[in-house]
Amino acid sequence: MQRRRGPTTQQRTDSQSPGFAGRDQLRDAVARLREGRWLLLAIAFAVLAGAVAIAGRIAAGQAAGDLRDGALAALPLAAGTLTGEIEKQRLVPLVLARDDAVRDALRRAGKVEETALNAKLKAIAGDASASAIYVIDTAGIAISASNAGQPDSFVGIDYNFRHYFTDAMAKGAASQYGLGTISGKPGLYLASRVDDGTTPLGVAVLKVELGGVEANWRSSGFLVFVTDERGVVLATSRPEWRFHALAPLSAQDTAMAHEQLQLSDAAFEPLPLRRGNGDGLATIDQAGKSRRFVEVVQDLPGAVPGWRLWLLTPADAALSSAANTARLTTLLGLLLTGLLAYVLVRRRRTRRVRQEALARMNTELESRVSSRTAELTRSNSALAGEIAERENAEAKVRRLRDDLAQANRLSILGQIAAGVAHEINQPVAAIRTYAENAGRFLEGGRIEPASGNLTSIVSMTERIGAITGTLRSFARRPGTAASPLPVREAIDGALSLLSGRIRDSGVTIVKPRGTASPLVMASRIRLEQILVNLLQNALDAMKDRPDPRIEIDLAERGDRVLISVRDNGPGLGPEAAGNLFMPFQTTKEKGLGLGLVISQEIAQELGGTLRLDPGMAKGASFTIDLRRIE
Ligand code: ADP
């Protein structure tokens, strides 16, 4: 079924009131769905009814087959009962035809009463259960009979009109079914001609009434009857059917039947039996009711030529029971199948709905995940941007710090330049003196003192070289790489840088006692820069002080190395001490207030600290605290 779509954009645009139009369409769709359902239901019902009907028919057909099998099994028995009876009786007239007493009686031809033969015939009839045995002479008159002397005696009766008599006389033997002229009872007449050599003497006749056979048939529960070659019923388990015909006889057949059966007033009405209406069943209409029978038929060649035996078995109960059972079973089966199909369809639909819901959830989840991912990517890239910015800023700060440190070093160099000039001037002046003296010694031919002066000149130039080398390396921008550095080297370097100023100021420098020189991880220039800053500040503080003195201490505490620079200057008041490491805090006219800030930063960079030692009674003391390495 095609699913109806919602209104298209065009339809919606055309509609004046889209809400109402939509509702109408919805109602329409629901109505169509309902119609479809009803149609489906009707088809299902029709299929169900059809299947039930077909199942009923098939089951009835099978039941009919079973009944037919039963009837076919019963048929030989029914036939045997009849043919056995006839064959048994048929011998009697044959034997009598060869009996001398019979012949003698016929030769006498009714001239005497055949008392002895009558008795004999009576005895034989009794033994053979024949209804009558009698002997007819050539004129057709019965001369002796088993019932002689009785009111219904055949003796003296003219049987010339009987076909069994004329036929037997003509052919030697004959049989005929008919009603007895005296008794009025039906029976089969079996006749044999009695011959005296080649001369016919008469006919011996036995009448067998088939009441016993018919009773036997009746007791079998089947409806059994025999028809002659025209379809006229003769022996039958249902006596009222006798001399009725299977089908209406033609006028000619009626005449011939009248003739053969010698029943001039018989109408040969058709039996209330309809046969062969397609299902192999015969129907008997009686008392306004139709009853169905399974019918089987068989020729009886051994009995009388042209006779056929019919056996009918009631089928209504068996057929309707089989059909009903099959219908019920089919109905239940189909209903169960339908129920199962319904359950399966429902389950599949439920599963599909669940799968669709799952798919929807999945899609939503995926879209959420992707939007969240996009968000995260965005914030990630924002973060990366921030990080880059921060790194940038840090790099800037680092550069700035380097620049500041460099500026600090250059300012130090500026400050110590005068001292350096002085430091260099001294050896230069000494060189000059040594050189002049050497010249004079050479003029005087005194080689040895001249050579001594030249050696002194060489050592002076070495000293100048050492001073300028220290300055050059201090002025250089330091590499960031730190290496194991003996602390004493840095102390000596710093003192050497300030040697001029120290000498001029007359400060007493007390260097660390002992010779121990622990190693720290530092760049030499950096550590020297801190020390120079501290020493400069001390020198500045002790300007105009009597007996200025700077003590440099070196101590090891665990894995720490402590380098202290202590002066006996004015020291720092609490306020100045609090703001000491703040930039631009200076008490000096030309000061920048950056020396301690930069020194503290360098100390931290080297993995240590720089602090003002508290509780100094006199002067100020600063300590560089670094990690010792082995
Ligand atoms: P600047 O030397 O340019 O002033 P610093 O940061 O090196 O900058 O010093 C800051 C201030 O701390 C100095 O101006 C001075 O007042 C004070 N100070 C530093 N060292 C000492 C010291 N040893 N004794 C007394 N005051 C000091």
Side-chain angles (χ1 to χ4, degrees), residues 17-18 56 72 138 204 206 214 290 327-328 353 430 471 491 498 530 532 541 585:
S17 48
L72 282 171
T138 49
L206 177 145
E214 290 172 341
S290 287
R327 283 188 201 118
L328 198 67
V353 166
L471 280 176
I491 296 171
L498 294 171
I530 302 173
V532 168
Q585 298 290 327

Side-chain angles (χ1 to χ4, degrees), residues 347-573:
R347 264 177 58 174
R348 192 181 293 176
R349 194 181 299 164
T350 314
R351 201 181 309 147
R352 203 180 53 225
V353 166
R354 207 178 299 154
Q355 275 171 350
E356 280 171 5
L358 215 63
R360 271 201 305 280
M361 273 165 62
N362 239 359
T363 317
E364 198 181 319
L365 199 69
E366 273 170 17
S367 86
R368 275 195 201 174
V369 165
S370 67
S371 77
R372 187 86 187 105
T373 309
E375 246 172 56
L376 282 176
T377 313
R378 269 199 304 281
S379 64
N380 210 21
S381 61
L383 209 64
E386 267 176 38
I387 288 171
E389 243 171 56
R390 214 191 173 88
E391 279 174 352
N392 243 350
E394 274 174 10
K396 252 185 211 165
V397 167
R398 235 183 350 260
R399 269 202 307 280
L400 208 63
R401 212 165 44 202
D402 286 352
D403 289 349
L404 277 175
Q406 182 67 5
N408 175 250
R409 274 195 303 279
L410 292 176
S411 100
I412 289 170
L413 281 175
Q415 285 168 34
I416 62 178
V420 170
H422 176 76
E423 193 76 355
I424 291 170
N425 271 347
Q426 238 188 353
V428 167
I431 286 169
R432 185 188 176 90
T433 313
Y434 280 127
E436 283 169 356
N437 289 344
R440 258 180 248 123
F441 287 139
L442 284 174
E443 277 169 17
R446 295 173 60 194
I447 301 297
E448 203 174 315
S451 161
N453 277 10
L454 288 175
T455 306
S456 299
I457 288 171
V458 169
S459 78
M460 291 294 148
T461 52
E462 274 172 1
R463 180 166 166 67
I464 293 169
I467 291 168
T468 52
T470 311
L471 280 176
R472 206 171 45 243
S473 75
F474 188 74
R476 212 173 49 221
R477 216 176 252 276
T480 46
S483 55
L485 170 74
V487 174
R488 264 179 209 275
E489 272 186 25
I491 296 171
D492 289 341
L495 289 172
S496 152
L497 278 169
L498 294 171
S499 56
R501 213 189 142 189
I502 289 168
R503 196 172 38 255
D504 291 351
S505 60
V507 172
T508 309
I509 298 289
V510 181
K511 291 198 357 177
R513 280 182 288 276
T515 53
S517 180
L519 292 177
V520 293
M521 200 65 180
S523 125
R524 181 178 168 157
I525 297 173
R526 298 268 196 204
L527 189 50
E528 278 180 0
Q529 188 171 356
I530 302 173
L531 288 165
V532 168
N533 270 319
L534 295 178
L535 290 168
Q536 289 236 73
N537 280 345
L539 291 170
D540 288 344
M542 293 186 301
K543 217 185 270 175
D544 311 326
R545 287 265 159 177
D547 188 23
R549 178 187 174 90
I550 295 176
E551 280 180 34
I552 301 173
D553 250 11
L554 186 57
E556 292 178 56
R557 297 251 189 326
D559 67 337
R560 310 303 298 179
V561 178
L562 307 174
I563 312 160
S564 304
V565 177
R566 188 161 52 245
D567 64 61
N568 57 353
L572 288 139

Side-chain angles (χ1 to χ4, degrees), residues 188-256:
L188 178 67
Y189 297 90
L190 302 167
S192 281
R193 193 176 61 202
V194 184
D195 291 326
D196 184 10
T198 54
T199 316
L201 291 175
V203 173
V205 183
L206 177 145
K207 181 187 179 187
V208 53
E209 286 175 8
L210 298 171
V213 174
E214 290 172 341
N216 182 293
W217 287 345
R218 256 195 305 280
S219 68
S220 72
F222 297 106
L223 202 169
V224 187
F225 56 91
V226 166
T227 54
D228 66 7
E229 67 264 42
R230 284 176 201 84
V232 175
V233 176
L234 306 175
T236 169
S237 62
R238 191 173 279 194
E240 63 269 26
W241 280 15
R242 203 185 314 278
F243 302 127
H244 281 60
L246 284 173
L249 294 187
S250 64
Q252 194 186 354
D253 275 346
T254 308
M256 284 178 74

